[in-house]
């Protein structure tokens, strides 16, 4: 990467201290997102994909969460060391986040206008006194943002309540709200999972448009490999709290290296092709209260060897940023 | 084997303080032959689940009829309903809420056997054990509770319970939507294998087109309570005819590199079923809509040369000149 990344996560380890013991949620996560780039984080339930990004904005309560090591660098600044006051000036203005279920994140008793104006006025506190918008200007800005996300008739929609809008419209409102402070980085946690495919296509199209027009960097978390392949430049595949494979979409989807990525790709029926036999990855996720000593995928891996009892190291492709966490690539690897 | 004739289901609702009827299923005609797997696909609110539930008497039909092997099962008394339950069973979307958390797996799977058969004691235990074996669970699970099982295991238990009475028809309502993809693959493989082994007929309801393509040999696409296209799965997927089917297939992002970032996604939202569009229900979002035709009168089904049924005026033999340009 020539330019310094906007967001870089280095050797990030995080535990949850529970009554049952210490849950090793993340174990040495390394990720980077460049300016104007989009990174997809994929993995199955419980692999730690959401937990990885929550602390970028300080959203994990501690306790129970405990950061063991690592840093989350946003333009060089370690977000794990930021004070709550400083964080307030970053949330929504530098980095914004949208979540899965658009209904739960909107307050049902206020109109979407009231909620958007609130957000915009809160952002003003980070500005100099003379540059702040007043309520009327904030409303104009809210309408402008709604227009940007292609909500029809924003002037009248702004006085509506969340229940009067469809799921797709609500997600548009949340995106408008997230982008109202013109952030540089947008983190979207399963943004289309609650939506129908035709509406999902609209929202993905909108995100692609905003990335192009606003030079936004995006992190998209999803379990849907199709969504990642469509909107992201790079992809990180997570398994049991680790990034097992990282690379560009072409590399990872075209030539998967890690046995887990291979299994995952073989386990989804392809909507565009006649059926072939599916491969269900046998077994279950390991219990992270007592993570396996070596490779975390060894118990389910068809290619497991004796050496897999020891933890694998990340292997880089000599040429660029592609990494694979697997003993098979101990000697390094090259892309064909 | 199973047929519906103009099946209609309406729910009384209050909208803006007035009483109204929400027509969730609007004159649906489906036909499933023995040994078939019919996929019912559509977006949320299209009425696909209501069709499945109505066939099994979990909702009441307000019009039309359902026949099973020629026998009318639309309106049944409690005794006949019990007979129907032996022949047709359902698997629900969320295996967690479909199992009673205070019953052991043994008790949950034994429930239909206790209600319908005289099996008791050791015989019952043996039967439940063999059912669990069919779905790939060991006997050790017999006395566990649902919370001790993973999502995939729970769904296997639900399937074991559904096949306990050797039914002929299984209605599967989004059986894998709550599961992770690697587990989904296991369940789909398994559903395909027991269909052959136990000679089952499936009505498979899903919003996931890829899953339908994988499991079903026939497919019916629903939109706003109507079936807009019905035919052999491979034909419908490789050559969709209805503009909605086309749009739906194009909207699915593919798990492979090199896709265009931006497409032209189908515009707008699904209209409210309380305020249905005039004419073809899809005309408000259809890019091929012909003004003055599609927004005027309801569209009937047309049968194309290859035997597919499509609810679109573009396939009206009388519309051929206009259709040729639009297609």
């Amino acid at each position: 990467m020539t330019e310094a990344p906007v967001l870089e996560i280095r050797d990030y380890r995080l535990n949850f201290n529970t009554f049952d013991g210490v849950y090793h949620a993340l174990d040495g996560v390394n990720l980077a997102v460049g300016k104007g780039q989009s990174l997809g984080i994929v993995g199955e339930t419980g692999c730690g994909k959401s937990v990885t990004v929550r602390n970028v904005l300080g959203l994990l309560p501690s306790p129970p969460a405990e950061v063991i090591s690592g840093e989350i660098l946003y333009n060089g600044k370690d977000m794990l060391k930021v004070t709550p006051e400083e964080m307030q000036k970053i949330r929504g203005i530098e980095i914004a986040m949208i979540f899965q279920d658009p209904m739960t994140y909107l307050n049902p008793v206020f109109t979407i206008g009231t909620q958007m104006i609130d957000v915009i006025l809160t952002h003003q506190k980070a500005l100099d006194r003379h540059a702040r918008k007043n309520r009327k200007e904030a409303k104009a800005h809210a309408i402008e943002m709604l227009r940007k996300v292609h909500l029809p008739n924003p002037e009248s929609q702004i006085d509506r309540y969340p229940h009067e809008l469809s799921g797709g419209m609500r997600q548009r409102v949340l995106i408008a709200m997230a982008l109202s402070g013109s952030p540089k980085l947008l983190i979207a946690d399963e943004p289309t999972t609650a939506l129908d495919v035709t509406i999902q296509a609209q929202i993905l199209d909108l995100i692609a448009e905003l990335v192009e027009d606003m030079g936004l960097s995006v992190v998209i978390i999803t379990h849907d490999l199709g969504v990642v392949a469509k909107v992201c430049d790079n992809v990180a595949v997570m398994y049991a709290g680790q990034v097992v494979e990282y690379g560009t979409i072409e590399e990872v989807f075209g030539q998967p290296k890690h046995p887990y990525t291979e299994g995952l790709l073989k386990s989804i029926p392809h909507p565009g092709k006649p059926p072939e036999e599916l491969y269900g990855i046998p077994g279950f996720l390991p219990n992270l209260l007592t993570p396996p000593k070596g490779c975390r995928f060894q118990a389910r891996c068809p290619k497991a060897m004796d050496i897999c009892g020891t933890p694998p190291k990340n292997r880089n492709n000599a040429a660029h940023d592609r990494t694979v966490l697997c003993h098979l690539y101990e000697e390094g690897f090259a892309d064909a | 084997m199973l047929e519906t004739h103009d099946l209609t289901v309406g729910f009384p609702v209050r909208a803006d303080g007035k009483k109204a009827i929400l027509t969730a299923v609007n004159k649906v005609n489906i036909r499933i032959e023995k040994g078939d797997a019919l996929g019912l696909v559509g977006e949320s609110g299209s009425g696909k689940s209501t069709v499945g539930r109505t066939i099994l008497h979990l909702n009441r039909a307000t019009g039309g009829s359902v026949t099973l092997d020629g026998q009318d099962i639309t309106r049944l008394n409690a005794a006949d309903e019990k007979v129907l339950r032996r022949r047709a069973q359902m698997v629900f979307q969320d295996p967690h809420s479909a199992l009673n958390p205070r019953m052991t797996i043994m008790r949950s799977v034994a429930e239909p056997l206790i209600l319908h058969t005289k099996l008791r004691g050791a015989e019952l235990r043996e039967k439940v054990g063999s059912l669990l074996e069919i779905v790939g669970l060991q006997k050790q699970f017999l006395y566990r509770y649902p919370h001790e099982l993973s999502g995939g295991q729970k769904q296997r238990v639900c399937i074991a319970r559904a096949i306990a009475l050797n039914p002929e028809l299984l209605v599967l309502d989004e059986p894998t939507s709550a599961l992770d993809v690697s587990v989904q693959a296991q369940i789909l493989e398994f559903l395909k294998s027991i269909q052959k082994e136990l000679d089952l007929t499936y009505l498979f309801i899903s919003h996931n087109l890829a899953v339908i393509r994988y499991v079903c040999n026939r497919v019916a696409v629903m939109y706003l309570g109507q079936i807009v296209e019905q035919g052999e799965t491979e034909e419908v997927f490789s050559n969709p005819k209805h503009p909605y089917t086309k749009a739906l297939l194009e909207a699915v992002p593919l798990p492979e590199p090199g896709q265009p970032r931006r497409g032209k996604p189908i515009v707008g939202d699904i209209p409210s079923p309380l305020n249905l569009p005039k004419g073809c229900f899809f005309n408000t979002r259809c890019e091929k809509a012909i003004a003055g035709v599609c927004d005027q009168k309801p569209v009937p089904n047309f049968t194309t040369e290859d035997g597919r049924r499509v609810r679109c005026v573009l396939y009206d033999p009388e519309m051929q000149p206009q259709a040729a340009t639009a297609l």
Side-chain angles (χ1 to χ4, degrees):
Chain A
M1 220 172 284
T2 45
E3 234 178 312
V6 175
L7 180 77
E8 194 176 1
I9 298 180
R10 283 190 195 157
D11 190 37
Y12 185 35
R13 275 165 223 275
L14 184 119
N15 289 350
F16 287 107
N17 299 317
T18 69
F19 289 117
D20 295 333
V22 179
Y23 188 88
H24 303 265
L26 297 179
D27 185 28
V29 171
N30 290 291
L31 290 172
V33 195
K35 189 171 186 308
Q37 276 195 330
S38 53
L39 168 73
I41 304 180
V42 288
E44 299 182 272
T45 316
C47 69
K49 50 194 193 304
S50 293
V51 170
T52 302
V53 297
R54 284 290 152 105
N55 253 355
V56 175
L57 286 177
L59 295 180
L60 278 180
S62 176
E66 188 188 350
V67 176
I68 303 301
S69 73
E71 37 193 16
I72 299 179
L73 299 172
Y74 171 71
N75 286 333
K77 182 194 268 188
D78 190 352
M79 300 300 284
L80 294 170
K81 299 204 175 91
V82 164
T83 63
E85 292 72 33
E86 277 180 291
M87 188 60 93
Q88 208 56 43
K89 294 186 180 172
I90 293 170
R91 284 195 191 118
I93 298 157
E94 295 287 335
I95 307 173
M97 212 176 221
I98 49 176
F99 300 92
Q100 174 170 349
D101 180 1
M103 191 63 204
T104 357
Y105 288 91
L106 288 168
N107 189 328
V109 300
F110 293 105
T111 63
I112 57 165
T114 312
Q115 298 184 54
M116 286 195 72
I117 291 165
D118 260 0
V119 169
I120 294 166
L121 290 177
T122 308
H123 291 161
Q124 307 307 313
K125 289 179 188 154
L127 299 174
D128 290 335
R129 198 163 285 275
H130 63 271
R132 291 181 186 172
K133 289 191 172 82
N134 62 28
R135 186 163 276 273
K136 206 171 143 194
E137 286 162 337
K139 184 173 179 182
H141 184 56
I143 291 174
E144 186 197 322
M145 288 313 299
L146 290 175
R147 189 167 289 128
K148 215 173 217 163
V149 297
H150 309 300
L151 195 77
N153 311 317
E155 290 85 355
S156 61
Q157 300 283 12
I158 198 163
D159 293 320
R160 292 223 190 172
Y161 288 89
H163 75 266
E164 297 177 277
L165 305 177
S166 68
M169 284 157 91
R170 280 183 219 136
Q171 195 58 284
R172 283 176 197 271
V173 170
L174 275 185
I175 293 174
M177 205 183 270
L179 298 181
S180 61
S182 5
K184 318 287 179 298
L185 173 67
L186 177 70
I187 299 172
D189 190 352
E190 304 263 9
T192 58
T193 306
L195 306 174
D196 276 316
V197 279
T198 59
I199 309 299
Q200 163 171 292
Q202 294 171 6
I203 297 291
L204 294 181
D205 200 68
L206 172 67
I207 291 175
E209 177 189 326
L210 294 168
V211 169
E212 256 169 56
D213 295 358
M214 300 172 68
L216 210 58
S217 308
V218 184
V219 179
I220 292 182
I221 295 165
T222 176
H223 65 273
D224 188 331
L225 294 158
V227 168
V228 172
K230 190 166 172 72
V231 290
C232 297
D233 302 307
N234 296 318
V235 57
V237 181
M238 286 192 73
Y239 182 77
Q242 296 175 327
V243 175
V244 294
E245 185 157 0
Y246 174 83
T248 65
I249 295 293
E250 284 73 21
E251 290 166 341
V252 176
F253 282 73
Q255 296 185 316
K257 297 267 185 221
H258 197 285
Y260 177 65
T261 317
E262 274 180 288
L264 207 55
L265 283 166
K266 276 194 283 182
S267 71
I268 34 173
H270 196 293
K273 288 182 193 154
E276 298 160 28
E277 197 162 314
L278 291 183
Y279 171 72
I281 302 175
F284 312 102
L285 276 173
N287 184 348
L288 295 183
L289 287 169
T290 49
K293 287 248 159 23
C295 168
R296 292 188 167 186
F297 188 57
Q298 56 170 316
R300 305 173 73 186
C301 183
K303 296 180 181 165
M305 309 171 282
D306 290 343
I307 194 177
C308 298
T310 58
K313 287 205 185 84
N314 254 317
R315 293 297 157 182
N316 276 70
N317 177 329
H320 39 256
D321 293 331
R322 178 139 197 223
T323 59
V324 179
L325 186 67
C326 180
H327 282 296
L328 284 174
Y329 303 97
E330 208 73 342
E331 303 296 317
F333 59 91
D335 283 301
Chain B
M1 179 174 120
L2 182 91
E3 242 180 309
T4 68
H5 305 277
D6 289 342
L7 182 69
T8 304
V9 185
F11 295 107
V13 290
R14 275 183 175 276
D16 300 326
K18 277 181 296 215
K19 280 186 187 167
I21 298 285
L22 188 155
T23 308
V25 175
N26 199 339
K27 297 197 172 160
V28 161
N29 293 296
I30 52 173
R31 195 189 151 87
I32 314 177
E33 303 294 342
K34 182 143 188 60
D36 264 3
L38 175 74
L40 206 50
V41 67
E43 296 181 274
S44 37
S46 60
K48 55 190 190 305
S49 290
T50 311
V51 170
R53 295 177 62 93
T54 309
I55 289 170
L56 288 186
H57 276 241
L58 300 173
N59 289 125
R60 199 160 288 174
T62 49
S65 67
V66 184
T67 57
L68 187 62
D69 285 336
Q71 182 199 351
D72 193 317
I73 56 163
T74 327
R75 277 158 271 277
L76 297 177
N77 58 32
D80 289 337
E81 204 171 70
K82 199 171 165 186
V83 176
L84 170 68
R85 299 262 184 265
R86 293 191 75 131
R87 305 187 58 192
Q89 278 288 336
M90 184 139 179
V91 176
F92 296 93
Q93 171 169 359
D94 181 4
H96 186 70
S97 40
L99 291 173
N100 187 333
R102 300 180 62 169
M103 283 186 186
T104 58
I105 300 311
M106 163 76 199
R107 171 74 209 193
S108 277
V109 179
E111 186 108 319
L113 296 165
I114 295 169
L115 288 170
H116 287 269
T117 69
K118 293 206 166 74
L119 287 180
R120 295 293 181 272
E123 277 179 339
L124 182 66
R125 255 194 314 280
E126 201 156 299
K127 173 76 183 165
V128 173
S130 70
L131 283 167
L132 288 189
E133 211 166 289
I134 295 176
V135 299
L137 294 174
Q138 288 104 13
K139 286 218 166 86
Q140 68 196 55
F141 286 100
L142 272 178
Y143 296 101
R144 300 226 179 134
Y145 285 89
H147 74 265
E148 298 174 85
L149 272 59
S150 70
Q153 290 170 334
K154 274 183 268 195
Q155 196 57 289
R156 284 173 192 265
V157 172
C158 290
I159 295 169
R161 181 175 59 179
I163 60 176
L165 296 167
N166 294 325
E168 298 149 59
L169 175 73
L170 269 195
V171 176
L172 300 139
D173 191 356
E174 305 261 13
T176 60
S177 303
L179 307 175
D180 271 319
V181 284
S182 67
V183 182
Q184 165 174 293
Q186 295 170 7
I187 299 284
L188 293 179
E189 276 296 327
F190 162 69
L191 282 172
K192 268 180 107 161
S193 72
I194 61 164
Q195 187 188 13
K196 276 203 207 92
E197 256 168 60
L198 305 177
D199 199 15
L200 289 164
T201 305
Y202 285 165
L203 175 61
F204 195 102
I205 299 164
S206 180
H207 67 277
N208 187 330
L209 291 144
V211 167
I212 295 268
R213 183 169 196 174
Y214 187 68
V215 180
C216 304
N217 62 326
R218 290 183 61 80
V219 62
V221 183
M222 281 191 82
Y223 186 73
L224 279 172
Q226 289 182 332
I227 289 180
V228 295
E229 181 160 358
Q230 191 170 179
E232 299 289 324
T233 308
E234 277 316 304
E235 285 172 23
V236 173
F237 275 72
S238 55
N239 176 22
K241 296 215 156 143
H242 196 284
Y244 177 64
T245 316
K246 281 183 197 167
L248 205 56
L249 282 167
E250 277 163 20
V252 185
L254 304 177
E256 58 188 28
Q259 295 174 70
R261 280 291 157 84
R262 310 271 305 274
K264 38 174 193 277
I266 174 174
V267 291
D269 282 318
I270 301 183
S272 158
L274 282 172
N275 188 13
L276 289 168
K278 208 176 155 198
C280 169
F281 289 170
F282 188 56
N283 88 76
T284 54
R285 300 171 82 194
C286 182
E287 48 169 25
K288 302 236 165 73
I290 307 165
V293 179
C294 296
D295 51 3
Q296 291 305 313
K297 55 178 202 281
V299 184
N301 269 311
F302 298 101
T303 306
T304 60
E305 292 139 25
D306 51 356
R308 207 183 304 172
R309 288 156 65 83
V310 184
R311 194 184 284 273
C312 178
V313 292
L314 296 176
Y315 299 92
D316 182 350
E318 289 168 26
M319 287 286 294
Q320 274 319 314
Q322 272 162 286
T325 52
L327 283 167

